[in-house]
């Protein structure tokens, strides 16, 4: 930057900046500055969630339930980064190096040039990092690390905070990327990853339903890329395999359309993903009907039920309502509203939705419908998976080029009338 002799004004303001402290006027900043260097590990699902590979000297937190597969994922990542030329050290505070090596062999990574260390004392780890000077250090897990400067047990809030702070500060100073693994813990017991979230550049959560074989890596914060990006993996005996076409996976158990089922054409981060919403609506034996949701927001469900009742005159009082996202994905997009309403109505009326149709659109409290962003991407994905019709709000930017038939609805009442006849 300073060699940039042509920018004399900038050089001038720099010396000014020195006199006034370190503040720089925004317009004086060199916008041509190169983006931070990144390394791709070759596991495309991971590289994308990171925002396009690992940024040098960045700090990343990977959180998740115990047993969800974090150590497996990160050992695979360590091997991949090491193979792509990054000096990588994997520090386990939970397993002996022999155990980690066995795991690596099981994952067929025995020959990857990863350095392994078993340590929990922060001072030892910093010394190791100081002498080894790796490009990437993985700390599994932050809850097992302890600093002798802090007078409490490993896993306590003050230890986790101190360890994370020291590791990230040290790594930034020395240009090392660090990945901290954090177990999500039952509230109140020991410190979970939330304590660390604000100290790192990127926060990823590894999620999945226990009964299901696939896992989702989701970015909830990313200083270097889009939040809400997901990577999809399948668990196998040989570790995690990438799922390059998640829509096909999420819809794989679906046969002919059943009442209560609606396929939502969603967007997760930068990628379109189709998922099936399943609803069951049945008379309740209880005085208070049940509302049960898996994979979606419970209060959003209450809102949709209220809108259906007060704007379209379709009561759900006296009916139990169960709503489920098939496959264990957590959907957060407001555009899922219309798919949820479709699944609920289809279940209530015991009438299947049109075959080969996808649904998307946001519902407002007035019963109006709002077009969803990235309509074109949703349509393309739906078409790729063999769908021919899209039920969506009017006014979305849908072009004929996608080859899908658009069934456009001005509001929820028209939707109910059109799809389920008069309502
Ligand atoms: P592990 O990576 O140890 O989970 P965490 O570090 O989050 O606690 O995985 C838990 C168990 O699941 C472990 O015994 C290995 C097994 N496993 C597989 O067999 N295949 C896989 O693809 C994954 C992710 C895990
Ligand atoms: Mg582990």
């Amino acid at each position: 930057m300073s060699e940039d002799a042509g920018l004399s004004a900038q050089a001038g303001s720099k010396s000014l900046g020195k006199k006034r402290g370190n503040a720089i006027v925004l317009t004086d900043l060199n916008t041509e500055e190169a983006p931070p260097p990144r390394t791709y590990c070759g596991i495309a699902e991971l590289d994308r969630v990171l925002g396009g590979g690992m940024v040098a000297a960045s700090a990343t937190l990977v959180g998740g339930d115990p047993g969800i597969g974090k150590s497996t994922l990160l050992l695979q990542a360590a091997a991949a980064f090491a193979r792509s030329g990054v000096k990588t050290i994997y520090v386990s505070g939970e397993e002996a190096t022999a155990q980690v090596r066995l795991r690596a062999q099981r994952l067929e990574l025995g020959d990857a040039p990863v350095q392994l260390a078993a340590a929990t004392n922060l001072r030892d780890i910093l010394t190791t990092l100081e002498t080894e000077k790796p490009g990437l250090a993985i700390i599994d897990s932050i809850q097992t690390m302890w600093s002798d400067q802090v007078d409490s047990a490993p896993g306590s809030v003050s230890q986790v905070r101190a360890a994370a702070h020291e590791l990230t500060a040290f790594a930034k100073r020395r240009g090392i990327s660090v990945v901290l693994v954090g177990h999500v813990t039952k509230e109140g017991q020991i410190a979970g990853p939330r304590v660390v979230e604000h100290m790192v550049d990127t926060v990823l959560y590894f999620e999945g339903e226990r009964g299901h074989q696939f896992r989702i890596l989701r970015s909830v914060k990313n200083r270097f890329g889009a939040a809400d990006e997901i990577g999809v993996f399948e668990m196998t005996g040989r570790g995690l395999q990438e799922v390059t076409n998640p829509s096909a996976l999420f819809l794989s158990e679906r046969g002919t359309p059943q009442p209560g089922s609606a396929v939502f054409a969603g967007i997760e981060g930068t990628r379109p993903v189709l998922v099936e919403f399943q609803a069951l609506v049945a008379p309740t034996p209880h005085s208070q009907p049940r509302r049960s949701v898996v994979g979606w927001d419970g209060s959003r469900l209450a809102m949709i039920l209220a809108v259906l009742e007060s704007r379209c005159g379709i009561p759900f009082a006296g009916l139990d309502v169960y709503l489920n996202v098939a496959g264990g994905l957590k959907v957060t997009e407001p555009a899922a509203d219309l798919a949820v309403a479709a699944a609920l109505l289809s279940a209530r009326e015991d009438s299947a939705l049109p075959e080969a149709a996808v649904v998307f659109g946001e519902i407002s409290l007035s019963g109006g419908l709002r077009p969803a962003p990235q309509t074109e991407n949703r349509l393309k994905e739906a078409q790729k998976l063999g769908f021919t019709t899209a039920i969506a709000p009017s006014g979305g930017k849908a072009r004929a080029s996608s080859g899908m038939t658009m069934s456009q609805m001005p509001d929820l009442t028209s939707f109910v009338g059109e799809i389920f006849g008069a309502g």
Side-chain angles (χ1 to χ4, degrees):
M1 248 193 319
S2 51
E3 296 93 312
D4 228 337
L7 300 172
S8 52
Q10 195 178 9
S13 67
K14 254 194 181 162
S15 56
L16 258 184
K18 261 187 197 150
K19 273 184 218 155
R20 292 182 187 163
N22 288 322
I24 301 169
V25 179
L26 183 60
T27 49
D28 281 354
L29 282 173
N30 188 354
T31 49
E32 304 285 292
E33 206 171 324
R38 293 171 176 269
T39 311
Y40 290 83
C41 71
I43 303 175
E45 293 294 297
L46 173 62
D47 284 333
R48 199 189 46 257
V49 174
L50 286 168
M54 178 83 68
V55 172
S58 62
T60 304
L61 170 72
V62 177
D65 289 329
I68 204 78
K70 300 180 296 300
S71 298
T72 307
L73 174 73
L74 287 163
L75 193 56
Q76 288 182 252
F81 277 109
R83 281 175 175 160
S84 50
V86 181
K87 185 168 178 184
T88 303
I89 181 160
Y90 178 94
V91 182
S92 178
E94 306 195 334
E95 292 169 302
T97 45
Q99 259 175 301
V100 180
R101 189 174 300 120
L102 265 181
R103 190 199 285 259
Q105 276 159 4
R106 224 175 20 247
L107 300 171
E108 295 173 2
L109 304 171
D111 59 340
V114 180
Q115 299 195 20
L116 302 179
T120 54
N121 183 322
L122 210 53
R123 201 188 294 254
D124 293 348
I125 292 169
L126 295 185
T127 309
T128 307
L129 296 183
E130 187 121 41
T131 44
E132 294 295 336
K133 299 186 175 55
L136 171 63
I138 294 171
I139 310 294
D140 186 3
S141 64
I142 192 66
Q143 277 115 340
T144 55
M145 301 297 144
W146 61 280
S147 158
D148 42 27
Q149 316 270 50
V150 178
D151 206 16
S152 58
S156 64
V157 173
S158 42
Q159 280 289 6
V160 166
R161 200 177 275 149
H165 177 75
E166 278 204 48
L167 281 163
T168 51
F170 178 86
K172 296 245 159 198
R173 232 171 22 243
R174 301 299 161 102
I176 302 170
S177 300
V178 277
V179 176
L180 308 176
V181 176
H183 297 297
V184 172
T185 49
K186 290 243 162 60
E187 233 185 320
Q189 283 180 327
I190 35 175
R194 294 213 171 269
V195 175
V196 181
E197 278 186 355
H198 70 279
M199 295 183 206
V200 294
D201 303 306
T202 303
V203 177
L204 311 180
Y205 277 95
F206 205 37
E207 319 167 331
E209 295 292 320
R210 266 181 198 275
H212 286 111
Q213 84 281 23
F214 50 89
R215 296 282 175 265
I216 290 147
L217 185 67
R218 181 188 296 275
S219 68
V220 297
K221 160 182 168 179
N222 195 347
R223 207 163 274 165
F224 310 113
D228 270 330
E229 194 70 72
I230 64 165
V232 184
F233 297 90
E234 190 173 357
M235 270 176 69
T236 72
R238 286 176 187 170
L240 295 154
Q241 303 287 324
E242 296 181 65
V243 174
T244 45
N245 189 347
S247 300
L249 178 77
F250 292 134
L251 298 180
S252 62
E253 282 159 28
R254 200 169 159 268
T256 50
Q258 300 290 321
S261 154
V263 175
F264 168 51
I267 300 281
E268 293 289 339
T270 57
R271 180 161 64 166
V273 176
L274 303 191
V275 282
E276 183 189 7
F277 275 93
Q278 300 169 336
L280 179 67
V281 175
T284 183
H286 311 289
S287 55
Q288 189 81 8
R290 287 202 64 157
R291 305 293 183 236
S292 164
V293 196
V294 178
W296 207 53
D297 179 25
S299 53
R300 195 92 192 168
L301 171 66
M303 186 205 104
I304 306 279
L305 292 172
V307 174
L308 283 170
E309 183 147 355
S310 54
R311 305 295 176 195
C312 310
I314 302 170
F316 282 84
L319 297 169
D320 283 338
V321 173
Y322 299 88
L323 184 77
N324 185 10
V325 178
L329 185 70
K330 286 195 186 105
V331 178
T332 53
E333 253 198 300
D337 290 351
L338 196 59
V340 170
L344 293 171
L345 289 167
S346 165
R348 191 181 183 282
E349 304 299 309
D350 197 27
S351 145
L353 284 165
E355 212 175 329
V358 294
V359 189
F360 55 90
E362 187 178 342
I363 298 175
S364 67
L365 285 176
S366 64
L369 299 180
R370 289 191 208 116
Q374 301 195 46
T375 298
E376 201 63 29
N377 279 343
R378 297 174 203 266
L379 296 180
K380 268 194 206 135
E381 179 77 358
Q383 193 188 23
K384 206 165 82 190
L385 283 130
F387 291 85
T388 54
T389 308
I391 303 169
S394 314
K397 278 184 247 138
R399 269 170 247 131
S401 66
S402 67
M404 297 274 293
T405 307
M406 293 297 291
S407 182
Q408 292 191 308
M409 309 289 164
D411 54 36
L412 195 57
T413 309
S414 338
F415 169 78
V416 173
E418 189 104 358
I419 308 294
F420 298 96

